Amino acid sequence: MRAVIQRVTHASCTVDNDITGKIENGLLVLLGVEEEDSAEDMNWLGQKLVNLRIFSDEQGLMNKSVQDIDGNILLISQFTLFAQTKKGNRPSFIRAGKPDLAKPMYEEMGRYLSELLGKEVQMGVFGGDMKIDLRNDGPVTIIMNTKDKDNH
């Protein structure tokens, strides 16, 4: 799994003029699922997301997690995180998980994060034409890859 994590003051997802998810103060998480991903990848990443200390404490240092601030998460599926751009000018998405694998893992990640956070995680629509609005706070943006845990 790959995730792009953005600390936001607000974020929302709209599909066909309907808001499917909306948060204030928290994390916008763009999630890509790869064919080889497993429950172990999901568990590792879920724990990292809710415990990642990227919110400011009373001294202005990044010492608080989304849990610590009672923040929210907006989870968006994004297969393009697995784009391969080495050859030519058109990206290849061959490494991205097929919908029959990726959709259930995305939905399970939403349930898992809700359980860890103790509140409902807001979601996009898997495979939908989503419009994401956000205000990145900081800006703080972090990239994680469950296949490269030593470096993230």
Side-chain angles (χ1 to χ4, degrees), residues 64-78:
K64 292 191 173 188
S65 70
V66 69
Q67 281 185 314
D68 295 334
I69 67 157
D70 194 30
N72 301 289
I73 295 176
L74 174 58
L75 183 66
I76 304 295
S77 64
Q78 189 166 351

Side-chain angles (χ1 to χ4, degrees), residues 23-88:
I23 65 167
E24 302 290 327
N25 296 320
L27 300 176
L28 169 63
V29 178
L30 307 175
L31 180 71
V33 176
E34 189 174 15
E35 283 295 322
E36 296 82 33
D37 285 334
S38 67
E40 179 183 331
D41 293 297
M42 185 189 65
N43 292 336
W44 181 86
L45 183 58
Q47 288 289 332
K48 281 288 192 183
L49 290 172
V50 298
N51 292 299
L52 193 62
R53 297 182 342 182
I54 59 172
F55 293 90
S56 298
D57 65 12
E58 295 72 22
Q59 288 76 41
L61 302 174
M62 288 197 288
N63 277 326
K64 292 191 173 188
S65 70
V66 69
Q67 281 185 314
D68 295 334
I69 67 157
D70 194 30
N72 301 289
I73 295 176
L74 174 58
L75 183 66
I76 304 295
S77 64
Q78 189 166 351
F79 75 94
T80 60
L81 293 179
F82 283 100
Q84 292 179 310
T85 57
K86 183 177 180 180
K87 294 169 69 176

